[in-house]
Amino acid sequence: MKILARLCTSADGYVTTPNGWPPQVVDPVHAPGSHGIAEFLDGCEAALMGRTTFEPALTNDRWPWPDLQVFVLGSHRPAGTPDHVTVESDPVRLLQRMRAANRGGDVHLIGGPSTVETFRAIGALDKLELVVLPFLLGGGMRLTDSLDPRIGLTFESSRALPGGSVEIVYTVDPERESSRANDPNWAPASQRR
Ligand SMILES: NC(=O)c1ccc[n+]([C@@H]2O[C@H](COP(=O)([O-])OP(=O)(O)OC[C@H]3O[C@@H](n4cnc5c(N)ncnc54)[C@H](OP(=O)(O)O)[C@@H]3O)[C@@H](O)[C@H]2O)c1
């Protein structure tokens, strides 16, 4: 079982619209399975997310994860949560419960950024997949508002998606953690002597 975080980001680096929606929902090509998600989900058997990302699903017309087990990190069980959804306040316990239920498939870590950071911090994040959307938003939440920018990433693959988005897949490698983000002396390579 691998934990694969996959988020869409605007070309100017926002993972939400200014009013808090995932940016792919304002892409004209947005539809069930769009942005490469259908192929990605082929190898997944579970969806994992933070309570903030989960709650809008409770008022959706259709249940967004009909084929996946659903795991939610949150301090309380939101009203109306279906019985088959696992809600847990401790990320290590939630990880144990996912492992216990696992039948060999991967886990789609949907987000948001604070839950991605939580699983990175306990060493449980295996991949970070970004889908860069072909438009700017000018505001919203950035991934690194919560995710530690020193995360070590090794490029694995990229591909163009219908509608002009680009999928980039990185393996998360704690050995490659970068100190650049917190180094006051860090400068672009072109300016180093
Ligand atoms: N671009 C994309 O593809 C994408 C994907 C998913 C979500 N999003 C966006 O991301 C935004 C939400 O992101 P977010 O980071 O604010 O929220 P989030 O990760 O969805 O949920 C945050 C909640 O998860 C729980 N949590 C997180 N870390 C925890 C920890 N270490 N221990 C215990 N509980 C923990 C807490 O729940 P309690 O408050 O109950 O304690 C916390 O309030 C939304 O606007 C959503 O639209 C974008």
Side-chain angles (χ1 to χ4, degrees):
M1 165 188 121
K2 293 210 180 308
I3 298 187
L4 317 174
R6 182 181 172 97
L7 292 96
C8 293
T9 173
S10 66
D12 54 344
Y14 294 103
V15 295
T16 73
T17 64
N19 55 359
W21 289 100
Q24 62 273 29
V25 303
V26 300
D27 190 340
V29 302
H30 182 248
S34 66
H35 299 95
I37 193 74
E39 303 93 294
F40 167 78
L41 286 175
D42 263 355
C44 292
E45 65 171 50
L48 164 65
M49 70 207 85
R51 184 184 55 76
T52 308
T53 295
F54 172 68
E55 278 192 344
L58 295 170
T59 51
N60 252 19
D61 292 342
R62 55 177 264 288
W63 182 244
W65 310 286
D67 304 321
L68 302 174
Q69 299 177 69
V70 178
F71 296 87
V72 176
L73 183 62
S75 54
H76 66 274
R77 190 176 185 87
T81 299
D83 288 346
H84 60 81
V85 173
T86 302
V87 182
E88 180 61 74
S89 60
D90 177 62
V92 173
R93 270 205 309 270
L94 188 57
L95 183 60
Q96 286 166 349
R97 291 181 71 173
M98 286 190 295
R99 285 203 173 119
N102 188 256
R103 300 182 306 265
D106 291 330
V107 175
H108 175 198
L109 172 42
I110 295 174
S114 68
T115 300
V116 175
E117 169 60 17
T118 293
F119 281 88
R120 185 208 64 80
I122 62 172
L125 184 61
D126 295 294
K127 287 187 191 182
L128 176 65
E129 306 200 6
L130 296 176
V131 175
V132 183
L133 303 163
F135 51 82
L136 313 181
L137 285 170
M141 182 187 288
R142 289 184 187 275
L143 188 58
T144 49
D145 288 347
S146 300
L147 182 64
D148 190 330
R150 292 170 301 178
I151 183 172
L153 300 175
T154 302
F155 174 78
E156 188 178 294
S157 65
S158 65
R159 64 175 172 138
L161 297 171
S165 297
V166 178
E167 174 193 270
I168 311 170
V169 178
Y170 298 100
T171 304
V172 175
D173 182 358
E175 300 294 307
R176 286 183 55 124
E177 272 195 8
S178 151
S179 57
R180 282 176 305 191
N182 290 342
D183 179 353
N185 298 317
W186 184 81
S190 59
Q191 291 172 22
R192 277 179 238 150
R193 291 163 198 258

